[in-house]
Amino acid sequence: MTQYQTYIFDLDGTLLDTLGDLHASCNYALRTHGMPERSIDEVRQFVGNGVKKLMERAVPDGLANPLFEDAYQTFRQYYLLHNRDTTKPYLGIMDMLRGLREQGRNIAVVSNKFYTATQELCRHFFGDLVQVAIGEREGIRKKPAPDTVVEALRQLNVSKQCAVYVGDSDVDIETACNCGIPCISVLWGFRDRDFLLAHGATTFIERPSQLL
């Protein structure tokens, strides 16, 4: 694997297995507002474009549903309290991050998850192994726009030269393309190889250690 100096990671499905808590929070919001619940496989397909898009896909009739905003806000409030109930790093992630930092590499996380949750999860699970963590916030477009990656590079005080993006979804592939940096697609996340290939993936890893 080519060695890069800066690694920009997606969070959900790449560093953290967040599916259980996203599923539980989604169904709590749906149940609270009298809507049918979703299976974990459905929620797996809904994630990747931020939690508002997740709920838009989960709520019957999406944004056109008059209870959508209430359900979305219920999700947000519940998830902020329950985003670490079952969430954990994928096997090998911590060793990989420690290895990259020992090699002097720069590490950032960019996510379409709301900003507070992104910051709290990275701080809780990764501590100072992740130097910069950026989530959805006012004034910065979410992925696949390049804004979060550009902001991460700015905070790291590095250029996009020798930087690589690591993610598990089609949104991540498109984000890297929009930033003009290579993308490494992981095969332990929310999307499989065939899906990723169909969306332009060219480089795959099956284990975090392959980044070292």
Side-chain angles (χ1 to χ4, degrees), residues 3-210:
Q3 288 294 310
Y4 299 95
Q5 186 58 38
T6 300
Y7 291 76
I8 311 292
F9 289 95
D10 171 54
L11 186 61
D12 296 50
T14 300
L15 296 180
L16 293 179
D17 182 358
T18 57
L19 186 58
D21 290 334
L22 290 169
H23 178 239
S25 299
C26 176
N27 278 345
Y28 175 82
L30 294 173
R31 189 167 60 249
T32 297
H33 297 281
M35 302 173 189
E37 297 185 27
R38 297 290 194 163
S39 72
I40 197 161
D41 284 335
E42 285 179 307
V43 173
R44 182 192 304 275
Q45 297 306 313
F46 294 162
V47 298
N49 297 81
V51 292
K52 188 166 188 177
K53 181 61 71 172
L54 185 162
M55 290 304 294
E56 182 181 338
R57 292 164 173 162
V59 168
D61 299 322
L63 295 174
N65 190 312
L67 293 177
F68 173 81
E69 190 60 32
D70 291 339
Y72 173 54
Q73 292 303 326
T74 298
F75 174 96
R76 286 177 63 97
Q77 294 161 16
Y78 186 89
Y79 185 71
L80 283 173
L81 295 175
H82 295 274
N83 60 31
R84 299 202 306 261
D85 288 359
T86 64
T87 288
K88 61 183 182 300
Y90 287 102
L91 184 65
I93 288 296
M94 298 306 296
D95 288 340
M96 177 270 291
L97 292 176
R98 280 190 287 266
L100 289 176
R101 292 297 291 137
E102 287 168 2
Q103 294 172 7
R105 313 300 178 184
N106 304 305
I107 297 177
V109 167
V110 296
S111 176
N112 281 343
K113 188 187 296 295
F114 26 87
Y115 188 82
T116 301
T118 300
Q119 292 273 308
E120 289 179 354
L121 287 169
C122 285
R123 188 180 306 116
H124 175 80
F125 286 107
F126 309 128
D128 59 6
L129 292 175
V130 169
Q131 298 154 273
V132 170
I134 297 173
E136 178 187 3
R137 68 184 190 192
E138 192 73 26
I140 187 166
R141 293 177 298 168
K142 67 180 184 178
K143 301 182 292 182
D147 300 34
T148 51
V149 174
V150 171
E151 176 63 14
L153 293 171
R154 186 192 69 79
Q155 291 189 28
L156 288 170
N157 195 29
V158 299
S159 74
K160 68 179 183 180
Q161 306 303 319
C162 297
V164 66
Y165 189 103
V166 184
D168 74 304
S169 75
D170 52 322
V171 174
D172 296 317
I173 296 165
E174 190 176 351
T175 301
C177 180
N178 289 338
C179 296
I181 61 176
C183 182
I184 297 172
S185 297
V186 309
L187 294 177
W188 56 79
F190 297 160
R191 302 291 187 266
D192 62 24
R193 181 189 290 268
D194 288 344
F195 178 93
L196 294 168
L197 278 171
H199 288 83
T202 58
T203 305
F204 299 93
I205 56 172
E206 297 179 346
R207 300 177 307 280
S209 61
Q210 290 176 268

